[in-house]
Amino acid sequence: MPHLQAFNLCYQHGNGDVVFNKLSFSLTAKVTALVGRNGCGKSILASILAKQREPNSGTVVCNSTLGFYWQMDDVKQTDDQTIAEAIGLEHIFNAHDAISQGQVTEQNLTLLEGNWDLAERFNAELLRLDVKNKGHNSLSKHLSGGQLSQLKLWALFTCIKPDILILDEPSNHLDAKGKSGLIKQINSFKGQILLISHDRELLEEAHEVWELTSLGLTQYCTCFSQYHSQKQQQVAALENKLNHIVKQQTKLKAAEQLQKQKAQKRANQGAKLRKSGSQPKKLMDTKKDKASAHLSSQNKNTAKREGILTSNKQELSSQLEQTKAQQFYLAQSNKAKHHKVLSLEDVVLSHGTQKPLNFQVFSDDKIHLAGANGTGKSTLLKTLTYDIPVKAGQLHCNQALYYLDQYFTLINNQLTLLENIMAHCKNLDESTVRTLLASMGFRKDAVFKHAAFLSGGEKMKLAMCIVSNIESTAFLLLDEPDNHLDLESKRLLAQSLQGFKGGFILVSHDKYFVESIGCCRQIVLQARCVKFPSLFIE
């Protein structure tokens, strides 16, 4: 019998919007990938399965121990937590401390089974991540997003060791080494894994793929490559059917117009005969009644066929809407004159690399800021906006910078999508903002949806729309903007950044995403040194 099952799960937001309805499934494969476009409810479903959230109806049955890695989309979630609390090991550390103080209970002994050397292994993991002078009681906010992510994954795989793992976008914030380690952990895990991800490298490790849309949950008993191929075929088939219906509608309208012209011609001929008096009036009336009845019957048949075609077109359009990814909008700034935006002279960061930084940035530079977790990439971006003071050296800035962090802090969850954009982009009127939101898939009343109900990917799209529309000559600081985005949205964002007329500094660990943008320079931060600026992509 499967260890994890769900029966008729339904969930809707407090505003009444239905996320999914009557989902039933059993987790049977070793690694199952749950995919779907941004906002379809993957994270909500994961939290329900992990008993972190209650469905509106339906039940979840789990006969095994379950571990849950949830995506971090709010920096404030862990700010006041210790590292032990943030990675879910506080109860084991507490049990160890209690036993050390003589409180030897069965519960504490059970918690420490297999984890008697937890403190030593934890300290070794901190050392591996280049985290110095920190312990399990240190605040987690002093770690980078990547360091905290790696510690959470380490705790789940090596300390908690559940029978079933639900991983919600586990590769977000991970550097190349961290992602490689995660793939090894997934392959060596003895239990079952439900993997929610938009990372192609991770998805290739799945043995089965489930796709969630507003139409329901579709299970593909194939690997990701085969699923992706099937999806492309499905989209092509739907588009062909839709094109066929459009052609049928065009033919039907042409035939209808021809019928009307013929009927009008016959009516004109009848009028002439009636006027000439060459035919008896009774006979003419009979012919007119037959012609009217025939025309009425033809009109009814045409209307019926039009109704069927319209209904089929709407159904196919709905399926195609769910099959294709949402669009991505990035405003194209006005081409500004080439000028110096930033200048760093012997700048030492407050966190991360401690080697002095010396480089200049110009208005049309497209720079990839690279480096392992904890080397200070986010710290550098926050330093450039003066949110974090320099430890030493001189920083000169000659243009407005707009920073988009990993946690969407510029978005107010209490405001609607419309209000969020208008609050930041004072130069845009409501009609223009509605057009922008429609291009991202938010039409009509959807613009009044509160940001709190958005998925991580939808928040990133909203945030990118905001920062690229604040000012026509904006220079962007983009801290892992590809996190949370589905595969098609990543492609569209890369396409937009490639054609972006302004400049930006981009942090990303996705080599495919970075390569597709076409950055002209790369700055690499290292734990004890910095490399800059090198040619990256012509």
Side-chain angles (χ1 to χ4, degrees):
M1 181 179 177
H3 297 295
L4 180 62
Q5 293 178 294
F7 302 94
N8 296 316
L9 291 183
C10 303
Y11 187 84
Q12 64 181 42
H13 291 304
N15 62 357
D17 290 345
V18 176
V19 181
F20 48 74
N21 193 32
K22 295 184 179 179
L23 299 185
S24 297
F25 51 84
S26 300
L27 191 68
T28 55
K30 184 179 185 297
V31 181
T32 300
L34 177 61
V35 300
R37 71 183 192 182
N38 297 137
C40 69
K42 300 184 299 295
S43 294
I44 291 174
L45 179 57
S47 63
I48 289 173
L49 297 177
K51 301 296 178 72
Q52 302 289 317
R53 190 194 304 249
E54 288 294 323
N56 292 96
S57 62
T59 56
V60 175
V61 178
C62 184
N63 300 318
S64 307
T65 57
L66 189 146
F68 182 36
Y69 177 96
W70 63 96
Q71 58 172 279
M72 295 182 292
D73 58 2
D74 186 350
V75 70
K76 297 176 183 178
Q77 287 179 346
T78 58
D79 259 7
D80 298 323
Q81 291 184 332
T82 65
I83 297 176
E85 290 172 333
I87 66 177
L89 293 184
E90 182 192 20
H91 60 301
I92 301 179
F93 277 110
N94 288 344
H96 188 279
D97 293 341
I99 289 178
S100 298
Q101 296 170 11
Q103 301 175 29
V104 183
T105 65
E106 184 176 347
Q107 181 182 9
N108 287 337
L109 290 172
T110 301
L111 284 172
L112 281 176
E113 186 176 347
N115 285 307
W116 287 95
D117 60 344
L118 176 61
E120 291 78 8
R121 289 190 289 129
F122 176 78
N123 290 332
E125 189 66 12
L126 290 181
L127 187 62
R128 185 187 72 82
L129 296 173
D130 201 32
V131 178
K132 297 180 175 62
N133 304 317
K134 299 288 187 296
H136 67 271
N137 284 322
S138 300
L139 290 178
S140 64
K141 66 181 180 182
H142 297 308
L143 301 178
S144 72
Q147 289 171 329
L148 184 56
S149 295
Q150 290 196 57
L151 281 173
K152 286 173 65 177
L153 290 165
W154 170 80
L156 279 171
F157 279 104
T158 66
C159 302
I160 300 173
K161 294 181 284 191
D163 299 315
I164 299 173
L165 262 177
I166 298 176
L167 305 177
D168 190 359
E169 299 198 38
S171 63
N172 282 358
H173 313 295
L174 297 186
D175 56 25
K177 189 175 180 180
K179 189 187 296 186
S180 176
L182 171 59
I183 291 173
K184 289 179 182 177
Q185 288 174 317
I186 289 174
N187 289 328
S188 62
F189 186 66
K190 302 299 183 184
Q192 292 176 298
I193 293 176
L194 179 62
L195 172 65
I196 301 172
S197 180
H198 300 300
D199 190 311
R200 189 70 182 259
E201 286 184 71
L202 259 64
L203 291 171
E204 293 293 354
E205 304 302 319
H207 304 101
E208 189 171 304
V209 177
W210 294 355
E211 182 184 35
L212 182 62
T213 71
S214 64
L215 303 175
L217 186 72
T218 304
Q219 300 182 32
Y220 297 82
C221 299
T222 61
C223 65
F224 183 77
S225 295
Q226 291 175 330
Y227 153 79
H228 192 255
S229 177
Q230 288 183 34
K231 286 296 296 179
Q232 289 178 320
Q233 293 172 6
Q234 285 179 8
V235 170
L238 286 172
E239 288 177 337
N240 285 336
K241 288 181 180 179
L242 195 58
N243 289 335
H244 180 65
I245 286 178
V246 171
K247 288 179 181 179
Q248 284 183 306
Q249 285 181 318
T250 303
K251 287 181 179 179
L252 188 61
K253 286 180 180 178
E256 184 181 12
Q257 184 62 31
L258 184 60
Q259 286 173 359
K260 287 180 179 179
Q261 290 174 352
K262 286 181 178 180
Q264 186 62 48
K265 185 177 181 180
R266 288 193 296 268
N268 291 339
Q269 289 173 344
K272 286 181 180 180
L273 285 172
R274 183 184 292 274
K275 190 175 181 180
S276 68
S278 61
Q279 297 285 339
K281 183 176 181 298
K282 189 173 182 180
L283 178 60
M284 293 299 298
D285 289 342
T286 301
K287 286 183 176 181
K288 182 179 179 181
D289 290 342
K290 284 183 178 180
S292 297
H294 180 67
L295 181 60
S296 177
S297 177
Q298 283 184 324
N299 288 339
K300 286 180 180 178
N301 289 334
T302 300
K304 185 176 180 180
R305 289 181 63 192
E306 282 182 343
I308 292 172
L309 288 173
T310 300
S311 177
N312 290 341
K313 182 181 178 181
Q314 289 175 345
E315 184 178 346
L316 285 171
S317 296
S318 176
Q319 290 180 31
L320 198 58
E321 173 72 15
Q322 296 305 320
T323 304
K324 282 188 165 183
Q326 294 170 326
Q327 293 300 301
F328 197 99
Y329 184 82
L330 176 64
Q332 295 300 317
S333 69
N334 296 328
K335 183 72 174 178
K337 292 182 179 179
H338 179 80
H339 65 275
K340 189 188 299 181
V341 174
L342 291 165
S343 178
L344 282 75
E345 300 172 6
D346 295 322
V347 168
V348 178
L349 302 178
S350 60
H351 304 290
T353 180
Q354 292 302 291
K355 291 292 183 180
L357 308 182
N358 289 278
F359 61 86
Q360 295 178 339
V361 176
F362 293 87
S363 56
D364 53 356
D365 278 342
K366 294 182 178 181
I367 300 172
H368 175 220
L369 179 59
N373 294 144
T375 52
K377 299 183 296 298
S378 296
T379 299
L380 174 56
L381 296 186
K382 292 175 184 177
T383 300
L384 298 180
T385 58
Y386 299 100
D387 289 330
I388 296 179
V390 298
K391 196 172 182 180
Q394 295 292 320
L395 167 64
H396 304 283
C397 180
N398 305 315
Q399 183 176 324
L401 307 176
Y402 296 98
Y403 174 52
L404 175 58
D405 64 35
Q406 306 167 23
Y407 306 101
F408 333 112
T409 51
L410 65 84
I411 293 177
N412 186 335
N413 284 332
Q414 306 306 313
L415 298 180
T416 65
L417 281 76
L418 184 66
E419 291 168 340
N420 265 288
I421 295 181
M422 296 196 71
H424 289 282
C425 306
K426 307 294 186 182
N427 57 318
L428 302 181
D429 57 30
E430 183 174 333
S431 177
T432 303
V433 174
R434 280 178 171 272
T435 302
L436 295 180
L437 288 169
S439 72
M440 296 159 54
F442 298 104
R443 300 177 178 87
K444 298 181 180 179
D445 289 346
V447 302
F448 301 118
K449 186 177 185 179
H450 280 78
F453 296 131
L454 298 180
S455 70
E458 288 174 318
K459 283 186 177 180
M460 181 55 73
K461 291 177 183 179
L462 176 62
M464 283 296 298
C465 182
I466 290 172
V467 296
S468 65
N469 279 283
I470 286 177
E471 189 177 310
S472 60
T473 57
F475 190 91
L476 307 181
L477 306 178
L478 307 175
D479 199 348
E480 301 193 51
D482 51 316
N483 277 355
H484 308 291
L485 294 181
D486 56 50
L487 292 171
E488 182 64 12
S489 295
K490 278 190 180 186
R491 185 187 68 80
L492 292 170
L493 174 58
Q495 197 175 68
S496 295
L497 288 174
Q498 187 179 43
F500 188 59
K501 295 176 183 177
F504 58 79
I505 298 177
L506 167 75
V507 176
S508 175
H509 295 295
D510 188 328
K511 63 180 181 180
Y512 301 110
F513 175 70
V514 173
E515 287 172 0
S516 62
I517 292 171
C519 295
C520 59
R521 292 172 59 192
Q522 184 185 57
I523 296 175
V524 182
L525 298 185
Q526 296 180 338
R528 302 189 184 282
C529 62
V530 59
K531 295 180 181 178
F532 61 87
S534 64
L535 183 66
F536 187 59
I537 298 177
E538 288 285 2

